[in-house]
Amino acid sequence: MALRHLGTKVGVESLIRAFEAKDHFRTYEGERNPSISANCNVLTCLLMMDDPTVYVQQIVKTAKFLCEQVHTDSVREKWHINELYWMMLLSQSFATLFDCMSANPSLEASIFQLAPELQEQIPMASLHVLTKVLGSQDLDGSWANGIAEVTAYGILTLSWLSHLPWIQQLGRMHGVNFITASIETGKAFLEAHKQDWKKGQYLWIEKVTYASPVLCEAYCLAAAVVPVPDFTGSTVDADGQVVQSTKASLFVSEGLLRDVLKAGQLISLTPLFRTLAPQLLRVAEMQACYALGFLQRKREELEIFPTIGGGDEKYMNFIPLTWTASNALRVQAIGGHSHSGGGLSNYVLQEMMILSMLNYQVDEYMETAVERDFLGFYSGSRGSLEAVREVVGQVFEEFDPSGSRRRSIWGDADHTPTNLKEIRATLSHYVRHILLHPAVRGAPASVQARLAKEVQTFLLAHVQHAADNIRFAASNQLNITPREEEETGLPSPISEPSDPSSPPPSKRRRLSSSASLKTQEQPKIFSPADSRTFYSWVRTTSADHTSCTFSFTFYTCLLSHSHPYNSNKTENLFNKDAKTSYVAEAMVRSLASLCRMYNDYGSIARDAGEGNLNSVNFQEFHSTTGSGDAGEEERKAKEELMWIAEYERRGLERAMGELECLVETEEMEDVKLFVDVTDLYGQIYVVRDIGVGVKRG
């Protein structure tokens, strides 16, 4: 590289023969752990050749390696102690790559033909770096608590990143060039501390750490004169000459961006995100755009749930942003006080996005295929409920270590009705995605068993909630007598072998659409068949129905599986000791109840329109003599529900305080991130209902 910069043309074939490995380039023979900085330099060097297309195989290999290292948070830079060093080199190599592709369309075509995934992976990796750099800058414009050399790394990283098309777009679309502002404040700091430019710090690693005054001054000089991007579609130097132009085809789709920005505007209204720096939310929005494309492809690839017409899927625009924005919030909270810079890897973020999407889909599926089309067909009779519960139990027989099998209510032969077989197959596909995930399979057996039980409890809670909805709707609309309910029971499949999925006409009953029924002036009150109170319901059926509990256990498996410093992949929050496990479970149970109450607070009107049971339908919210005014009754019920939710929040905060004393700081930050995401959904529901609307009847 140095010879090329000095005008001497040399080839790289001998270097490729000596140092090329299967999926990366070695720094030296016998190297055990690859160096990300060395591979960044390899990529930059290959792109400096007269005809880079000759080396397209090596370019793709190196780019994929760099993206994978960032994606899984596997970076182990062996030559430097501060992560801004490798981030600077990575940004330089990515910027050089896109500059070369812009000038050489055949190179671009060759690279993306060999590895089309790089069109998504490089933006995600670069935006991950941008979040870390912006989030760790100090108020005085410096990085690393005023170290001049590291501040120079930060400035140069932002300068290189500004070459990338999606970051050009990010800098232009909001009218506030926060990247430019960050560079300028960093430069102002360096200018005010010129006396430190030759004071190298102990940042470099050989057998021991060492300082290099020469390197320190060189990086400070480079940062002081680097061009400042103006985000008008090009980068200009100090003389106003265009240094680099942006290719419009590499921008994010305006329609996609518009949808995500709307979600960002709503998120910014929640109490949780009022403190997030606007520039970090902007980056999170751009990350969400790329993640949304990934998520949509993943949904088509998995094909777990059938497409249900009439549903509103605006939640898809929120899922990626809730995770990227919450991640940015944690990066901001930690700032430059951690070597890792805080936040999750893109791998964990994407896996949790997939789970969040599937949880929305299973919620919709249980409301339609199970509640509306099956249980609703039989008015939620005891026989139909037992049939669905058995199906759920059968799904988990595969994961029962005892190998025990219960005798089916349909007999020894599989006379299960066709529609129940379809439900079983769909739920089995969903459960297998969770329980056979590599991160789960690598977890301790006790954690795997816990997760399986929690997922089963979640699905059974859906069945119970469906039964409650049907009973609630029936008691307020149809006044079904016990005799009528008995007559709508599930017909025997053995006595009707010709078509066990279809009952005879005399026994067919479907609940009427709530929209077609006379509206009652007084609030509808739920009278459960058992002795459940609102407290017991919101702590059991209702909380289990949110998916919060098992999602947290799944999350802990991902963290253990992907943690860069965890050589023991079986270490998990739920197998440390009894205290930690107990407090963690208490915390997540409080979180689930809190989220359910926030959800219900924001969806009272939607639940009433769809005939769903809501918290405010319990007797406790109507125990005093009302004024007779329906609007006043609803206002009072909502006020009490919010008070109870905030009471539950205080319990959540206490549990988190206790847990903070039991786990490491970094682990607690990961816990807080999950709590933030879950709490954010609850706060969004208060601001605006984003749930999936399901048409009934």
Side-chain angles (χ1 to χ4, degrees):
M1 287 172 64
L3 290 172
R4 280 270 168 176
H5 281 299
L6 293 172
T8 301
K9 294 185 178 182
V10 291
V12 293
E13 286 74 13
S14 59
L15 295 175
I16 291 174
R17 286 194 299 272
F19 298 108
E20 186 176 14
K22 181 179 179 181
D23 62 356
H24 66 282
F25 278 82
R26 296 182 296 269
T27 313
Y28 48 82
E29 286 292 336
E31 183 182 40
R32 289 179 297 176
N33 302 311
S35 164
I36 189 170
S37 62
N39 279 270
C40 288
N41 287 329
V42 167
L43 180 56
T44 303
C45 180
L46 292 172
L47 293 166
M48 292 174 66
M49 297 298 104
D50 292 336
D51 184 10
T53 56
V54 174
Y55 308 101
V56 69
Q57 295 281 354
Q58 289 77 21
I59 289 172
V60 167
K61 173 188 292 190
T62 312
K64 288 174 66 174
F65 169 78
L66 295 175
C67 289
E68 180 64 17
Q69 289 282 296
V70 177
H71 179 72
T72 58
D73 198 18
S74 302
V75 177
R76 294 291 176 280
E77 178 47 44
K78 61 177 67 178
W79 309 118
H80 205 283
I81 67 172
N82 193 286
E83 67 175 0
L84 275 178
Y85 173 70
W86 68 258
M87 288 181 179
M88 172 186 66
L89 295 179
L90 181 74
S91 302
Q92 179 186 13
S93 63
F94 283 167
T96 305
L97 174 62
F98 275 82
D99 287 351
C100 288
M101 289 195 301
S102 180
N104 187 346
S106 63
L107 176 64
E108 178 183 346
S110 299
I111 289 174
F112 290 148
Q113 183 176 5
L114 282 173
E117 65 272 19
L118 288 176
Q119 295 178 81
E120 184 177 276
Q121 291 175 353
I122 292 176
M124 287 297 291
S126 62
L127 289 165
H128 179 79
V129 168
L130 181 59
T131 299
K132 292 289 193 80
V133 176
L134 292 174
S136 60
Q137 187 174 24
D138 297 325
L139 293 176
D140 62 1
S142 71
W143 278 269
N145 296 316
I147 297 179
E149 185 174 347
V150 178
T151 298
Y153 301 159
I155 294 168
L156 292 169
T157 301
L158 292 175
S159 176
W160 284 115
L161 288 175
S162 68
H163 287 232
L164 299 173
W166 48 93
I167 294 179
Q168 281 277 326
Q169 185 178 16
L170 180 65
R172 289 181 352 205
M173 67 186 181
H174 292 288
V176 178
N177 295 335
F178 51 84
I179 298 177
T180 298
S182 182
I183 291 174
E184 288 175 342
T185 55
K187 285 187 166 217
F189 176 85
L190 284 184
E191 184 65 26
H193 295 80
K194 280 188 173 181
Q195 70 278 8
D196 296 331
W197 289 15
K198 295 182 180 181
K199 296 178 181 178
Q201 302 293 320
Y202 285 83
L203 303 170
W204 300 87
I205 302 172
E206 284 287 351
K207 291 184 178 179
V208 295
T209 56
Y210 67 96
S212 173
V214 173
L215 287 175
C216 179
E217 184 178 16
Y219 280 116
C220 288
L221 286 169
V225 300
V226 72
V228 176
D230 66 352
F231 297 108
T232 59
S234 61
T235 300
V236 298
D237 60 19
D239 298 323
Q241 299 298 311
V242 173
V243 178
Q244 181 258 344
S245 297
T246 304
K247 190 174 181 179
S249 63
L250 294 171
F251 289 151
V252 172
S253 159
E254 290 295 335
L256 177 63
L257 187 57
R258 192 182 309 112
D259 289 340
V260 173
L261 289 179
K262 287 179 181 178
Q265 290 172 352
L266 181 56
I267 283 176
S268 67
L269 298 176
T270 62
L272 183 63
F273 278 85
R274 287 173 186 164
T275 60
L276 179 63
Q279 61 267 31
L280 291 180
L281 181 56
R282 301 290 83 82
V283 179
E285 290 166 348
M286 186 64 78
Q287 283 179 296
C289 288
Y290 286 98
L292 180 56
F294 159 80
L295 204 57
Q296 290 169 336
R297 290 195 304 277
K298 197 68 179 179
R299 178 173 59 178
E300 296 173 2
E301 175 188 322
L302 292 173
E303 290 186 317
I304 293 177
F305 298 99
T307 302
I308 300 173
D312 183 358
E313 296 187 347
K314 56 188 175 183
Y315 68 87
M316 285 291 288
N317 294 330
F318 280 87
I319 288 174
L321 187 55
T322 56
W323 284 99
T324 58
S326 296
N327 193 56
L329 192 66
R330 298 272 34 108
V331 170
Q332 176 179 275
I334 296 174
H337 305 296
S338 169
H339 285 300
S340 65
L344 298 175
S345 68
N346 283 337
Y347 164 74
V348 174
L349 289 174
Q350 288 189 348
E351 291 301 312
M352 289 306 296
M353 289 175 195
I354 294 170
L355 184 65
S356 298
M357 175 189 69
L358 293 178
N359 289 346
Y360 266 105
Q361 289 183 306
V362 76
D363 184 68
E364 181 184 25
Y365 182 76
M366 296 297 283
E367 287 185 13
T368 52
V370 176
E371 179 180 341
R372 184 189 70 188
D373 298 339
F374 186 81
L375 294 177
F377 208 100
Y378 304 104
S379 299
S381 66
R382 182 179 302 175
S384 63
L385 285 171
E386 287 306 313
V388 177
R389 286 176 179 136
E390 179 180 83
V391 163
V392 172
Q394 290 171 344
V395 167
F396 288 88
E397 287 180 351
E398 173 186 355
F399 304 98
D400 185 354
S402 68
S404 61
R405 299 290 185 269
R406 292 177 57 186
R407 186 177 186 276
S408 171
I409 61 176
W410 308 100
D412 293 329
D414 191 1
H415 293 292
T416 307
T418 304
N419 49 4
L420 280 178
K421 286 182 179 179
E422 292 173 354
I423 291 172
R424 182 173 62 195
T426 299
L427 294 182
S428 178
H429 195 178
Y430 167 73
V431 169
R432 286 175 63 84
H433 173 83
I434 296 169
L435 299 185
L436 297 182
H437 191 284
V440 175
R441 301 302 291 171
S446 61
V447 177
Q448 292 186 50
R450 169 190 285 269
L451 179 58
K453 186 63 177 177
E454 288 172 346
V455 178
Q456 185 173 13
T457 300
F458 163 70
L459 293 176
L460 290 173
H462 264 283
V463 177
Q464 183 59 53
H465 191 65
D468 288 342
N469 283 341
I470 292 170
R471 180 180 179 84
F472 174 62
S475 65
N476 283 278
Q477 299 165 357
L478 300 177
N479 296 319
I480 295 177
T481 65
R483 177 65 180 167
E484 288 177 314
E485 183 174 358
E486 182 179 338
E487 289 179 352
T488 59
L490 192 67
S492 168
I494 300 175
S495 63
E496 300 174 48
S498 59
D499 186 6
S501 66
S502 179
S506 62
K507 292 188 177 182
R508 291 181 183 177
R509 178 190 294 274
R510 182 183 293 275
L511 292 180
S512 301
S513 169
S514 59
S516 65
L517 299 167
K518 181 182 289 186
T519 303
Q520 299 183 6
E521 292 184 1
Q522 294 299 321
K524 299 170 184 177
I525 299 175
F526 176 59
S527 300
D530 49 27
S531 59
R532 283 176 296 164
T533 62
F534 171 64
Y535 176 86
S536 61
W537 176 80
V538 83
R539 285 297 186 101
T540 54
T541 304
S542 182
D544 293 334
H545 181 268
T546 65
S547 78
C548 177
T549 303
F550 88 78
S551 295
F552 181 71
T553 304
F554 181 82
Y555 178 70
T556 64
C557 293
L558 286 175
L559 294 176
S560 299
H561 181 72
S562 64
H563 197 291
Y565 301 108
N566 184 13
S567 57
N568 179 15
K569 300 299 182 182
T570 62
E571 183 178 325
N572 185 281
L573 198 65
F574 286 111
N575 75 332
K576 285 181 179 289
D577 52 56
K579 293 183 298 182
T580 304
S581 179
Y582 186 91
V583 174
E585 186 168 354
M587 179 205 72
V588 77
R589 298 297 300 181
S590 291
L591 180 63
S593 297
L594 172 65
C595 187
R596 165 55 60 192
M597 286 186 273
Y598 267 31
N599 185 329
D600 281 3
Y601 181 93
S603 59
I604 290 175
R606 181 170 68 93
D607 286 341
E610 296 179 2
N612 290 331
L613 176 63
N614 188 287
S615 293
V616 299
N617 297 127
F618 276 79
Q619 180 64 53
E620 288 90 329
F621 292 92
H622 309 280
S623 57
T624 58
T625 303
S627 62
D629 184 294
E632 177 62 22
E633 287 286 308
E634 181 178 314
R635 186 200 62 78
K636 182 176 180 298
K638 290 181 70 173
E639 184 179 278
E640 288 194 326
L641 180 60
M642 182 55 70
W643 188 95
I644 297 170
E646 291 309 311
Y647 171 83
E648 198 67 55
R649 179 180 293 282
R650 292 192 289 275
L652 168 65
E653 290 172 348
R654 178 180 176 182
M656 291 181 68
E658 294 289 345
L659 190 61
E660 199 158 8
C661 300
L662 298 172
V663 301
E664 298 293 330
T665 301
E666 187 173 345
E667 191 172 15
M668 192 62 206
E669 287 300 322
D670 292 338
V671 170
K672 288 177 181 177
L673 198 154
F674 180 90
V675 172
D676 285 346
V677 172
T678 309
D679 192 16
L680 175 59
Y681 277 109
Q683 293 185 23
I684 289 173
Y685 278 117
V686 173
V687 175
R688 181 182 300 169
D689 182 16
I690 64 164
V692 178
V694 176
K695 294 182 179 180
R696 300 181 182 276

